[in-house]
Amino acid sequence: MTPAKLKDQLSHQIATLNKRLEEQLERQFSLEGTPIDHWRVLAALVESNGQTMSSLASKVLIEAPSLTKVIDRMVSEGLVFRAPDTSDRRKVLAFLSSRGVAVHNRLNAIAVSQHRDIVDRLGAEDAGHLRDLIDRMLSDPPI
């Protein structure tokens, strides 16, 4: 069955839900004075500190030119720093600063709270099924 209306298309429903969840995080993060893109970068660096810009851009879903501007702001705020890759001096890596770790921990508590709210709303079993479905869609070849 082909959906007749935009609101009934799965891709539109997924995008709408994503937008709502991001707006919720953005509101809460703005109270902390930090944009959501900064949190994503901090979270990616917590998982694997010292990443190239291209690797980081892929993980945080930001185009490379925009990520460079984000990293510039984060460097000026003392959240991250850049250093040459010791195995390839042509590459520059981004690293967390101690201030970046502290900001990440504060913001991550907000993100974890949102995650718990979603799981509570769906129930643990349905949340697990949803995660499995999303993982399956993400692992399949692009549509």
Side-chain angles (χ1 to χ4, degrees):
M1 179 173 109
T2 303
K5 296 180 181 179
L6 178 63
K7 72 177 186 68
D8 296 328
Q9 293 179 9
L10 285 174
S11 61
H12 184 72
Q13 289 177 319
I14 292 166
T16 301
L17 177 59
N18 180 65
K19 187 173 189 309
R20 285 183 187 174
L21 294 171
E22 289 213 347
E23 287 171 348
Q24 181 186 48
L25 277 182
E26 285 174 348
R27 280 191 303 275
Q28 293 174 313
F29 288 171
S30 71
L31 298 173
E32 298 288 329
T34 306
I36 194 168
D37 289 341
H38 289 202
W39 171 73
R40 281 199 182 104
V41 169
L42 295 172
L45 291 174
V46 161
E47 290 177 13
S48 177
N49 204 9
Q51 295 186 47
T52 63
M53 293 298 121
S54 59
S55 172
L56 202 51
S58 173
K59 288 178 183 169
V60 300
L61 309 174
I62 301 174
E63 297 294 325
S66 296
L67 178 64
T68 298
K69 293 173 187 173
V70 168
I71 295 293
D72 287 345
R73 284 191 301 272
M74 293 178 76
V75 166
S76 70
E77 294 172 12
L79 300 173
V80 300
F81 62 93
R82 292 180 177 109
D85 185 337
T86 56
S87 63
D88 184 350
R89 306 288 279 164
R90 295 169 296 174
K91 293 181 181 177
V92 175
L93 305 178
F95 293 89
L96 277 171
S97 69
S98 56
R99 182 170 188 269
V101 171
V103 169
H104 168 267
N105 291 342
R106 196 170 63 245
L107 297 176
N108 201 56
I110 295 168
V112 167
S113 176
Q114 182 192 55
H115 175 83
R116 283 188 192 127
D117 290 346
I118 294 167
V119 171
D120 288 348
R121 188 169 177 186
L122 293 175
E125 187 175 341
D126 283 346
H129 290 312
L130 179 58
R131 184 180 298 110
D132 291 344
L133 290 169
I134 292 169
D135 286 345
R136 192 169 78 201
M137 289 292 295
L138 292 173
S139 68
D140 284 344
I143 296 172

